[in-house]
Amino acid sequence: MILIARLLPLILFPLMCGAADAQNFRVCHGYGCTFQTRVALSGADRSRIASIMASGRASPAAERAAVRRAVQVFERRNIHVIGITDRPKMQFGKSREKGQMDCVDESTNTDQFLRYLQTTGLLRHHSVARRDSRGSFIDGRYPHFTAVLKDRSGTLWAVDSWYEPGGGAPDVMLLTEWHRRGFGGQR
C-alpha cells in the first residue's frame, strides 16, 4: 500500500502535466499540478542555457554544476511568465495558490526541463532517469519528490529545487544521500 502511494504521483502527474516539446513546457504550480501555465523558452533563454551547458562539457561534475545554473534560468523564465515568485519549500494550507509549488510541481517541472536538455543534446555525461521519492510518514518524513539524472557509470543524482525560492539553485546530490535526508526539515 505504501509503495502504491509513493509511485502513484510518479505515474499520474507527468500524464496530467504533459511533456515538453522542443522548447514549450506546461509548468505545474498550485501544488500537485493544480494549475498549468504554458511557458516557451525565448531564443535568448535557449542561447543562455546552451552556453551554460557548454561550460559543463569537461566532466560529469562540471555538467551537474551547469545543470544547477540552467535550472535557475528555466525557473526564472517560469516566474516571468506566471508572474509570481515561488516561495521556498511548501506552506501547508496554501495549496491552490497560483505560482506556488510543492515538490510534485517542482520535480515535474525540473524533470521536463532535464528531458529538454537531453532531447536537444545538451546533456553529454548524463541521461534523465525516472523521478524518485523519499519519506512515507511511517518513517517520520513527509513524502518528497525529486527529478533524477543518471551518469554513465549508472550513478543516480537528485536534482531538487524545492528548498529554494523560484530561480534559486537546486540541490544536486547523490540520490543515495538525498534518500538518507529529510528528517526534521533537513535538506
Side-chain angles (χ1 to χ4, degrees):
M1 184 70 147
I2 292 171
L3 181 60
I4 292 171
R6 286 181 71 192
L7 293 177
L8 196 58
L10 293 173
I11 296 166
L12 293 180
F13 285 112
L15 297 175
M16 290 170 53
C17 294
D21 61 30
Q23 64 209 22
N24 297 296
F25 303 83
R26 278 196 230 165
V27 173
C28 291
H29 54 106
Y31 293 17
C33 212
T34 298
F35 303 109
Q36 299 173 39
T37 299
R38 285 250 179 228
V39 174
L41 295 176
S42 69
D45 295 329
R46 292 190 311 274
S47 292
R48 184 165 181 213
I49 290 164
S51 176
I52 290 168
M53 293 308 297
S55 73
R57 289 186 182 148
S59 70
E63 185 167 85
R64 289 189 298 276
V67 163
R68 273 185 105 207
R69 293 189 316 274
V71 167
Q72 289 180 275
V73 171
F74 174 66
E75 287 194 353
R76 288 179 187 137
R77 178 67 177 159
N78 297 342
I79 290 166
H80 176 76
V81 172
I82 296 169
I84 298 169
T85 300
D86 175 47
R87 294 181 298 274
K89 300 185 182 179
M90 177 177 110
Q91 297 174 332
F92 290 101
K94 296 287 187 175
S95 63
R96 291 183 170 63
E97 188 177 326
K98 287 189 176 188
Q100 300 312 306
M101 299 178 194
D102 65 0
C103 62
V104 173
D105 296 324
E106 294 276 8
S107 64
T108 300
N109 298 338
T110 302
D111 181 76
Q112 285 186 65
F113 179 67
L114 295 175
R115 291 182 188 284
Y116 161 79
L117 295 178
Q118 180 173 277
T119 301
T120 56
L122 296 174
L123 287 178
R124 293 179 177 233
H125 299 282
H126 297 83
S127 60
V128 181
R130 183 183 208 151
R131 290 184 308 139
D132 205 345
S133 66
R134 68 180 183 207
S136 63
F137 294 114
I138 294 170
D139 68 358
R141 299 182 296 173
Y142 190 80
H144 185 63
F145 297 87
T146 188
V148 179
L149 286 174
K150 180 169 70 173
D151 67 24
R152 289 185 182 158
S153 73
T155 302
L156 298 173
W157 298 86
V159 182
D160 187 354
S161 58
W162 183 73
Y163 287 96
E164 297 294 328
D171 290 337
V172 179
M173 67 178 69
L174 287 167
L175 187 63
T176 54
E177 176 67 20
W178 183 87
H179 273 286
R180 286 192 289 267
R181 294 178 176 218
F183 292 96
Q186 179 189 34
R187 288 181 103 130

